[in-house]
Amino acid sequence: MDRQGKIINPSEDPQLSKETVLNFYQKMTLLNTMDRILYESQRQGRISFYMTNYGEEGTHIGSAAALESNDLVFGQYREAGVLMYRGFPLDLFMAQCYANADDLGKGRQMPVHYGCKDLHFVTISSPLATQIPQAAGAAYALKRENMNRAVICYFGEGAASEGDAHAGFNFSATLECPLIFFCRNNGYAISTPTNEQYRGDGIAARGPGYGMLSIRVDGNDVFAVYNATKEARRRAVAENQPFLIEAMTYRIGHHSTSDDSSAYRSVDEVNYWDKQDHPISRLRHYMTARGWWSEDDERSWRKQSRKTVMEAFERAERRLKPNPELLFTDVYQEMVPRLAKQRESLFRHIQQYKEHYPLDLYEK
Amino acid sequence: MIIAMAAAARLFIRGAHSTLAISGVGTGRQNSLLKLSAGCSSRLKAQRHAAHFTFQPDPPTTEYGDTQKMNLFQSITSALDNTLASDPTAVIFGEDVAFGGVFRCTVGLRDKYGKDRVFNTPLCEQGIVGFGIGAAAAGATAIAEIQFADYIFPAFDQIVNEAAKYRYRSGNLFDCGNLTIRAPWGCVGHGSLYHSQSPEAFFAHCPGIKVVIPRSPLQAKGLLLSCIADNNPCLFFEPKILYRAAVEQVPVDSYTIPLSQAEVLQEGSDLTLVAWGTQIHVMKEVANMAQEKLGVSCEVIDLRTILPWDTETVCKSVVKTGRLLISHEAPVTGGFAAEISSTVQEECFLNLEAPIARVCGYDTPFPHIFEPFYIPDKWKCFDAIKRMINY
């Protein structure tokens, strides 16, 4: 697709059904709506932290749609759309951000560190690129399992500078793993632009150095992302080798709620991408050109999605936090004596000093 | 006002006063999407509980010349500014330092001293430290920044196997004493597993490096300048919760505070309290509580340098008081309190009136929503004092 949503090369049109394309659009916009509400909620002190996905929705939805539902996903932290596409409910996104008693992760991590075993999305951790060699190992194990499952591993162009990236790329190639490396090259690693991150030809050019087939795609063209991921997945599983996809996109939002990007880039630059090359707009042009989406559809969808997000938000906010005994579990699979003693001593302490602890906010 | 967050938690939001709202596609800037429903407001106020400490500045001093009001990150900037001004070989590097750093510690330095002296590196901690070791070995004053102490581990090999051993293994032919590594450290209210860690214990186990942790802006500037001047590779951990919350009068010019010297902050006769960094402010409050509620007189010691640590000051105090309580946020097992406890019982065994107490984090990763229960707060420390006095 070009920036007006017109197919450039008809032989590359994936010719997805109206239902599929509408789903792409709705997932991208629902993500955008959730992002705006949760970002705002952090500014109001209601959640502690948030990271938006503005501008990168196409990379999430396009790639997620090209995978099988049981392919294993290793992410970095800016791939919430992949989870959304797979059907992770708003209530659970919110539960994780609010660290309430419904959080699958039991309230232990900062917001946006999602994970879901049922949807095959490995829990996010903050350290960068640590997931890359892990993805290689997982792919190797899945190869031996022989169930035609693939692994996809997402990371940014900044994380690709870490030593772990080198390890993961090299291992996956030498050990012949069915793995898709998906690099979101969004222009910035917090304040660091790409010309300070690398001097070579981006991340895609590194692939051949490892013996890995690589492709660079327009990350804001959801169909291009879909096509590349689909083909990479097919061959990764058929041939047991890794593929590297570098999706060129732009981080429209700040790095996180702890960042003010006007300190290092111009508002004009950001507005350019927001107005001229946005994955959501481009797909919308494609849809309206086919008569698949009207102004009325847009209005009522926006209203409906905002309503469902707000309802989930309000539910999550009212929910209690998890029982403090969950502070002590899952360190090991089994409880160890020393930790059990520490748990007992905390509970004895809280009994005696209960007015100094926010017990009302937590489940009993 | 809905934003009822404690100052301590607020600090984590860089540019908190910016009103720039990037709203994504289509609708442009909107009025607030969120209105607080009536029922939620009281719950929310309770959610934003106060920080677990109150920063207590030291009395102002003219010992080092004219002073200026500075918070912790400004005192760091001042130390770096003094260094770049006086030492032409000095360079500062790490992730995002060029625009001022995620905690504003390097604001203005690139413009003032040039892009060859204050520069971003690629995103790679092992590279940052390795690069720093090499620069230092080749004669430059290398000041490396690791963005959070939680992310220092890719550099562990370079620090432990290289930096710490450079001088020893070469028979003193080579050294990287010109290297200083700075990193934000410790709990911040909502940092969770990877923005709250206090990893000093890992490095305390490594002869050849120095590990330093300041409690305040005044201490930070003097200790950092000492680390930079010191001819051994130094790790300087900066309590991030104090970056904005700690404000005091700090000398504008260069000055140093000696390394490996603990400081007795207040004298007492019944019990010695040892801590470092943020926890010092908890201990000062605990000492007051012990005096008021129990009539117990506590001596408070800021260790300041973790490695090599000042055993003499601590032991001298325990000989006097007979009781020792050590407190740190890091998990208790193998935490640095264990080393202090072991040494003190060797040196002061017959002086001890009670077992040495350690009030520390639990043996778990640092949790997000359970932080209020996890940290060694003043009530846990106070309770430990009660038990020690009654032993």
Side-chain angles (χ1 to χ4, degrees):
Chain A
M1 276 193 287
D2 65 14
R3 287 178 175 185
Q4 282 69 47
K6 261 181 53 189
I7 298 289
I8 298 170
N9 183 346
S11 72
E12 290 178 0
D13 182 351
Q15 296 183 339
L16 299 170
S17 69
K18 177 179 171 183
E19 191 190 340
T20 300
V21 172
L22 256 53
N23 185 37
F24 281 15
Y25 184 76
Q26 288 172 346
K27 289 290 182 319
M28 290 201 282
T29 50
L30 185 62
L31 175 62
N32 186 274
T33 300
M34 181 178 85
D35 275 352
R36 283 192 280 146
I37 286 170
L38 286 176
Y39 185 90
E40 182 80 19
S41 83
Q42 193 280 340
R43 294 339 256 166
Q44 293 184 5
R46 299 157 93 147
I47 61 175
S48 60
F49 175 81
Y50 194 69
M51 301 178 95
T52 56
N53 303 274
Y54 302 145
E56 300 184 49
E57 297 89 348
T59 61
H60 304 182
I61 302 311
S63 57
L67 302 169
E68 295 301 308
S69 61
N70 65 351
D71 287 338
L72 193 56
V73 177
F74 284 83
Q76 179 170 301
Y77 52 55
R78 217 184 293 279
E79 296 89 12
V82 174
L83 207 43
M84 189 165 269
Y85 186 85
R86 284 191 164 183
F88 197 60
L90 288 171
D91 279 333
L92 290 182
F93 278 110
M94 301 289 174
Q96 199 284 327
C97 288
Y98 270 96
N100 69 28
D102 295 332
D103 176 24
L104 298 179
K106 302 175 189 169
R108 293 167 182 153
Q109 291 222 67
M110 289 170 87
V112 312
H113 288 64
Y114 310 114
C116 183
K117 189 166 181 177
D118 291 345
L119 297 179
H120 310 284
F121 188 96
V122 180
T123 302
I124 299 301
S125 73
S126 308
L128 297 177
T130 45
Q131 72 277 16
I132 301 179
Q134 292 170 18
Y140 190 88
L142 292 186
K143 175 173 84 168
R144 296 200 64 250
E145 200 185 59
N146 214 10
M147 299 282 285
N148 289 327
R149 291 172 70 196
V151 175
I152 190 164
C153 179
Y154 295 90
F155 53 95
E157 86 286 349
S161 295
E162 289 277 14
D164 270 347
H166 167 64
F169 294 161
N170 202 26
F171 274 53
S172 67
T174 54
L175 297 170
E176 298 171 1
C177 304
L179 170 52
I180 304 157
F181 288 115
F182 194 104
C183 177
R184 295 175 293 96
N185 187 328
N186 65 9
Y188 288 91
I190 306 187
S191 73
T192 305
T194 52
N195 71 338
E196 292 178 3
Q197 196 63 250
Y198 54 76
R199 268 316 139 77
D201 179 13
I203 313 308
R206 298 181 196 172
Y210 294 97
M212 230 185 338
L213 291 171
S214 313
I215 189 170
R216 171 172 291 142
V217 300
D218 176 354
N220 292 348
D221 175 350
V222 69
F223 294 148
V225 171
Y226 174 85
N227 288 344
T229 309
K230 193 118 180 117
E231 179 63 0
R233 195 234 174 250
R234 184 188 71 76
R235 291 188 63 179
V237 171
E239 300 164 28
N240 285 319
Q241 61 170 318
F243 286 82
L244 175 58
I245 299 173
E246 182 181 20
M248 307 306 289
T249 179
Y250 187 80
R251 194 196 77 206
I252 288 177
H254 306 299
H255 166 70
S256 72
T257 50
S258 303
D259 178 45
D260 173 5
S261 62
S262 67
Y264 52 83
R265 61 180 181 177
S266 73
V267 176
D268 286 342
E269 177 186 305
V270 177
N271 283 337
Y272 170 83
W273 285 90
D274 194 17
K275 303 278 179 296
Q276 307 294 337
D277 190 349
H278 199 292
I280 293 177
S281 310
R282 288 168 70 176
L283 188 61
R284 184 166 166 196
H285 290 317
Y286 176 89
M287 287 158 49
T288 51
R290 270 156 192 71
W292 289 354
W293 193 255
S294 69
E295 280 292 335
D296 283 342
D297 291 325
E298 177 72 15
R299 239 188 320 270
S300 74
W301 168 247
R302 288 283 178 173
K303 196 157 159 226
Q304 185 199 324
S305 51
R306 191 148 60 229
K307 182 163 174 285
T308 47
V309 172
M310 284 306 302
E311 283 169 359
F313 174 84
E314 278 159 12
R315 278 193 296 273
E317 187 159 88
R318 282 195 295 270
R319 195 81 178 80
L320 290 175
K321 307 306 182 194
N323 190 318
E325 75 185 11
L326 293 175
L327 202 183
F328 296 97
T329 56
D330 304 322
V331 177
Y332 299 95
Q333 187 183 48
E334 71 278 11
M335 176 54 67
V336 295
R338 193 149 203 217
L339 194 52
K341 274 180 82 175
Q342 291 171 17
R343 183 185 57 194
E344 298 323 306
S345 94
L346 173 65
F347 291 151
R348 268 197 313 272
H349 175 78
I350 290 177
Q351 272 304 104
Q352 222 193 322
Y353 293 89
K354 54 167 78 80
E355 69 273 23
H356 302 293
Y357 295 88
L359 293 167
D360 286 344
L361 302 178
Y362 294 78
E363 284 201 329
K364 302 274 172 275
Chain B
M1 194 62 203
I2 300 307
I3 305 178
M5 287 171 88
R10 243 316 171 201
L11 81 91
F12 198 40
I13 298 164
R14 263 207 63 260
H17 305 291
S18 162
T19 53
L20 178 66
I22 307 263
S23 56
V25 81
T27 57
R29 201 175 295 200
Q30 283 196 348
N31 289 328
S32 172
L33 292 164
L34 300 174
K35 292 209 182 86
L36 198 59
S37 62
C40 282
S41 62
S42 58
R43 165 76 65 78
L44 275 178
K45 281 195 195 124
Q47 268 175 6
R48 291 291 159 218
H49 58 276
H52 67 290
F53 70 98
T54 308
F55 172 69
Q56 312 206 20
D58 289 326
T61 174
T62 49
E63 198 184 337
Y64 307 113
D66 283 343
T67 65
Q68 196 179 297
K69 191 163 102 168
M70 295 187 207
N71 62 27
L72 181 65
F73 74 72
Q74 290 165 335
S75 74
I76 302 294
T77 314
S78 178
L80 297 175
D81 193 349
N82 292 153
T83 302
L84 290 169
S86 63
D87 178 350
T89 74
V91 287
I92 299 171
F93 52 92
E95 294 155 25
D96 303 297
V97 300
F99 91 116
V102 293
F103 289 107
R104 298 195 162 176
C105 295
T106 52
V107 168
L109 297 178
R110 183 178 169 94
D111 285 344
K112 193 167 172 184
Y113 295 102
K115 58 188 172 68
D116 61 314
R117 298 186 71 191
V118 181
F119 52 91
N120 291 339
T121 63
L123 211 170
C124 183
E125 292 77 14
Q126 67 187 98
I128 289 168
V129 174
F131 177 95
I133 292 170
T141 296
I143 303 166
E145 177 176 304
I146 297 292
Q147 199 155 83
F148 285 85
D150 314 58
Y151 305 144
I152 203 166
F153 301 108
F156 202 70
D157 189 32
Q158 286 283 354
I159 294 169
V160 167
N161 271 332
E162 296 293 315
K165 297 171 168 66
Y166 228 73
R167 190 190 294 278
Y168 187 87
R169 74 188 185 193
S170 68
N172 203 22
L173 296 177
F174 296 94
D175 72 83
C176 59
N178 294 327
L179 174 64
T180 302
I181 301 167
R182 301 173 34 245
W185 167 102
C187 78
V188 72
H190 52 270
S192 186
L193 279 72
Y194 302 111
H195 296 82
S196 309
Q197 291 180 45
S198 312
E200 66 273 11
F202 292 109
F203 297 102
H205 193 56
C206 180
I209 53 171
K210 297 196 175 181
V211 180
V212 177
I213 305 176
R215 68 172 180 274
S216 71
L218 180 91
Q219 291 289 311
K221 178 169 169 171
L223 289 168
L224 178 56
L225 286 170
S226 289
C227 286
I228 292 170
D230 194 280
N231 289 321
N232 298 288
C234 295
L235 293 188
F236 188 76
F237 290 127
E238 302 165 359
K240 66 178 84 68
I241 204 172
L242 297 180
Y243 274 140
R244 286 185 196 256
V247 184
E248 62 188 350
Q249 292 290 328
V250 178
V252 172
D253 291 332
S254 250
Y255 62 100
T256 55
I257 291 176
L259 302 184
S260 295
Q261 265 191 37
E263 186 180 358
V264 178
L265 298 184
Q266 70 185 62
E267 291 189 8
S269 53
D270 300 329
L271 198 149
T272 302
L273 300 173
V274 173
W276 47 90
T278 316
Q279 197 66 5
I280 282 294
H281 305 290
V282 177
M283 295 314 234
K284 280 170 133 183
E285 197 172 342
V286 171
N288 289 342
M289 286 161 70
Q291 183 66 68
E292 277 166 35
K293 298 182 206 267
L294 307 170
V296 168
S297 152
C298 294
E299 183 146 295
V300 179
I301 299 180
D302 180 0
L303 198 63
R304 304 198 293 192
T305 299
I306 306 303
L307 184 75
W309 69 281
D310 181 358
T311 56
E312 196 182 319
T313 300
V314 175
C315 289
K316 183 164 160 220
S317 175
V318 178
V319 162
K320 181 171 76 169
T321 64
R323 296 177 189 84
L324 175 61
L325 186 156
I326 315 153
S327 186
H328 57 63
E329 292 167 20
V332 63
T333 297
F336 197 64
E339 155 65 23
I340 297 173
S341 177
S342 187
T343 300
V344 168
Q345 67 85 31
E346 279 170 3
E347 302 289 322
C348 312
F349 184 74
L350 292 174
N351 302 100
L352 289 171
E353 298 288 339
I356 298 171
R358 295 181 290 163
V359 183
C360 303
Y362 301 116
D363 290 335
T364 73
F366 200 106
H368 178 229
I369 206 66
F370 306 116
E371 179 165 336
F373 300 98
Y374 176 90
I375 53 174
D377 62 26
K378 60 193 179 198
W379 299 107
K380 293 179 185 173
C381 294
F382 176 73
D383 196 70
I385 290 178
K386 265 172 86 172
R387 279 181 275 115
M388 286 176 80
I389 292 297
N390 295 323
Y391 185 78

